[in-house]
Amino acid sequence: MDWDKIGLKTGLEIHQQLDSKGKLFCPCNCELTDEEPEYNIVRRLRPTQSELGKIDRAAFEEAKRKLKFYYQAYSDHTCLVEADEEPPHPINSEALEIAVTIALLLNMKVVDEFHTMRKQVIDGSNTGGFQRTGLVATEGYVETPHGRVKIENLCLEEDAARRIEEREDGIVFRLDRLGIPLVEITTDPSIKDPIQLKDVAYQIGQILRSTKVKRGIGTIRQDLNISIKDGARVEVKGVQDLNKIPEIVKREVQRQLKLLEIRERLKKRKAKVEDKIYDVKEIFNDTKSKIIKSAESVLAIKLEGFAGLIGVELQPNRRLGTELADYAKKRGVTGIFHTDELPAYGISRKEVENLIQHMQASENDAIIIIADEKSKAEAALGEVISRARMALEGVPEETRKALEDGNTSYLRPLPTASRMYVETDIPPFKIGSNMIKRLKKELPELPSEKKERIKREYDLSEDLASQLVRKGLAEDFEKLAKLNVENTLIASLLAYTLQELKRESHNIENLKLKDIIGALRLLEDGKISKDALRDIIAYMADKKVEPLKAAKELDLLLLTREEVERIIQGIMEEKEELIKERQMAAMGPLMGEAMKKLRGKADGQLVNQILKEKIKKKLTSLE
Amino acid sequence: MGPKKHERELIKMAYRGLAKKVLEKESIKIGDRIRVERDDISYEGMLLDRPEDADDKHLVLKLDNGYNIGVEIEEATIELLEEGSRPKIKFPPVDVERNPQLPDISIISTGGTVASIIDYQTGAVHPAFTADDLLRANPELLDIANIRGKAIFNILSENMLPEYWVEAAHAIAKEIEDGAWGVVVAHGTDTMHYTAAALSFILKTPVPVILTGAQRSSDRPSSDAHLNLISSVVAAKSDIAEVMVCMHASIDDKSCHLHLGTKVRKMHTSRRDTFKSINTTPIAEIKDNKIRILRKDYKKRGLEELRVRDKIEPRVALIKTYPGINPEIIEYYIDKNYKGIVIEGTGLGHCPENLIPAIERANEMEIIVAMASQCINGRVNMNVYSTGRRLLRAGVIPVADMLPETAYVKLVWALGQSNDPETVKRLMLKNIAGEIEDRSSLRHFQG
Ligand SMILES: [Zn+2]
């Protein structure tokens, strides 16, 4: 695709949890827990009134749902702060220092004084009804192969509560994640190429990994900002796999282009969306559709001029109808049908005809049916009406969720900017030039620098050096490299062998660094052979035993020269005929015999050497 | 009538020192759009106010992305870009017709912000006082009552004074005379139980008088204010003609308890369910706007004639004893001509022996000395140990299962009712407003 011509503009928002001791505003543990909750706190949130009479769109959306929230809490794992039962403690200065360090690595300008703000979020994910956040730095950049990309902002904020389930009467959250410090990094939204977008995400990710941040699933989250000319800004939440970024962008562009196409077709047909909701229960009195039959009420709307367009595919397997259904589902309904897909699902041709007649629809019109409780169905059709109207305008500004396959689905309207006010419970924190100077001195080595250095210092291949850095094993490597063992062997042990063993379902997680040092020491002292290392480590992991014990139990300790000579002598006596017959050419088969007995217990070269000498001697004596 | 007395500000805001000088020099005011430039960085945004206790070397800017930051100004140049127009807090009046089917409930505000409005542009939080403000923030109130609103003070509850109790009592009485079916008093939570006790003694009321407030400020979506206020209005419509406190029953947004004004105490610094009935059971629970009576011994609506017994004597001290307490503390109050002292003693009602001579002297001076317990739960009994008996001999009145704060408030009131020490002593030992119960139930201490 010609991204320039389409006017593609993209940007990134990266959320990364920090690995500080304690949460941002209380001293609770930053680990998640799977234990049974000890408390279930019931709460309701209300949007607060803004003086300017402007109620935030996203906040209003949630308010309409009037949901109850349940918060799972613990005596030891969470405290009154997460439960919104105690004011926040002073800000965790370690977390602030990590955030400033990241800002410096991203070449950013750090603010003089950090002010904590409240960002209103009333979807229940924050017990207070707002997320605490503050601006740490602005105006930075990262270099990519496609050129420099600006970093606009870095904020330090608290993570939200963990959504556990959605019940009929409310959403259940767990408080373990609420308050874990995280940084939000926002790039300039003018990246014009999906590949570059992925590269920026990767670069920032690498920089983050050089600092004190959490590792593992769910500790980093990428959001994408995507827009095209004549389209609209869409925020895609929750991208887990960086490699999917180009595909997600491609499919979003495709979706927006299709929506623009639909808009043109709707215009030509003079399409209209009327407010009238029809009660069509009677038409389905004898229906075979179970959903419709069992519903308290069956309501429908007419979308004039939409016929055939509801079924138009926007993304693989997602149609305009899917978008309408996304909006309806926000009201908790499931039974939604449109005439582009009917008759089907137990709804007969006759019923469709009756419906069209009853609603006086023309062949150009589409009909949407929702079967559910009356109030729910009404509310859901209200959503469909407003989404259908947006189709007349083109692409709505939305927050969307990244799906597994690279598609996206509707989450909520894009939040408006005016929903922040100061957190009065926390005084401003002066960052000051001394703190900056100190942190500048302690800046960690960037991944790219680290890779170049270990490659040079330890004479490693490009591949091994970059594997070690990428997998976060460089520090372990540098510790092990102090042993008198080949660097390449250590590096490939860390970068590859351990992973192979894991794949073969050995319990690698039982191994500590000191266990690996122990095993390498055996090699260093000449007690085991290089070939035996892998088996010994696997055995240690599975049986949780000391290296020496593992070597002994596996019978992999190297034999002394005398013992090796004795064994070889024995083999030669057995195979005397062969030696007589084939002279030096017996070397091959005899070596094979010897290694069968000595593998892992003697160095191959040594065996080779002894065998050669002995055969020579034998042949001399035979002459 | 607008709010009066000390302007209520949670955090005092003002520029001072260097910052003030710089702003004055450039004629920059709060709300103006300015640029601050220094070294290699330049910030543009709206100038906001700054907490008075913060240093004078930073300006607070609200950037276009909504975030506030502090910008150091010592080596910066500051430029006015555009004068700000402060948006006026003005709403069209709420146009509500009185619903003759619903009772009239008065909401009196003393400074506890049960409703507030946020100005997202500047981030300022404005407390809401008028009935209109309350209704805008809590439109559901219209379904249960006709609301009349009145602000009598605008103070932090820690700045409450005994004189204000009397003023509040008169304001409540006025509402009742004007036909209020019940009165709700919005109050800061810190001293709400003192005011509740005071109103219990001062007022004889034929209608419910409900004090309520918020532990989480009303500017946040999670505020407890909404449920507390709605439940209070429900309570004000009930037939329980007592002075009561209505606050969250648990940390859930599920129900509120109605506590008798003389038996309630703030028991936690921050939790929503901070108010607990001590040595007794709450009168009722309010859940989903419905009232469930928990004990039947309350005064019914319409039985009492409205009366304001408004004489008080503020020269009363409340002293907590502790190991090592200096008896001069008591001497001080005697010398300052105080008329009453409530001692918050240890255990069953004791204090170190070295206080006894001072207490004897107080008794000789006809100063009333009452004994409550710092255990909070339980009742004093001064016959069990010899110190107790000596204190009784020294003229100390044991106030049974009365809360120390209630005993203090009651003594302020009782000394206003009579000059005769014996009468005052008799009043202190007589149950006036539910403050003394004879029976101690096993139910009342959860351990
Ligand atoms: Zn905590």
Side-chain angles (χ1 to χ4, degrees), chain A residues 23 25-29 76-83 89 175 178:
Chain A
K23 291 185 173 175
F25 296 109
C26 71
C28 287
N29 191 322
D76 296 323
H77 207 87
T78 61
C79 72
L80 290 184
V81 174
E82 289 98 327
H89 297 197
L175 296 184
L178 179 61

Side-chain angles (χ1 to χ4, degrees), chain A residues 159-173:
Chain A
D159 207 343
R162 194 146 64 101
R163 200 184 177 104
I164 302 292
E165 59 169 331
E166 197 156 337
R167 286 201 235 144
E168 182 66 20
D169 65 336
I171 306 171
V172 182
F173 290 95

Side-chain angles (χ1 to χ4, degrees), chain A residues 41-44 46 48-51 84-85 109 112-113 115 117-118 120 127-128 133 155 421 425, chain B residues 38 40 50 67 70 72 118-120 137 140 216 219-222 226 251-253 270-272:
Chain A
I41 305 169
V42 186
R43 289 284 164 71
R44 287 174 188 277
R46 290 169 66 85
T48 53
Q49 195 181 10
S50 159
E51 173 190 320
D84 193 42
E85 287 293 331
K109 288 161 189 166
D112 302 323
E113 210 178 49
H115 288 230
M117 309 293 292
R118 295 172 174 176
Q120 188 162 318
T127 45
T133 173
C155 296
Y421 61 111
D425 298 342
Chain B
R38 201 192 58 224
D40 54 345
R50 181 170 174 80
Y67 281 95
E72 208 186 316
I118 303 165
D119 169 4
Y120 281 102
E140 301 94 315
R216 297 281 85 74
D219 57 76
R220 50 168 84 205
S222 64
H226 176 72
I251 60 173
D252 295 325
D253 285 333
S270 60
R271 283 173 60 128
R272 286 165 168 76

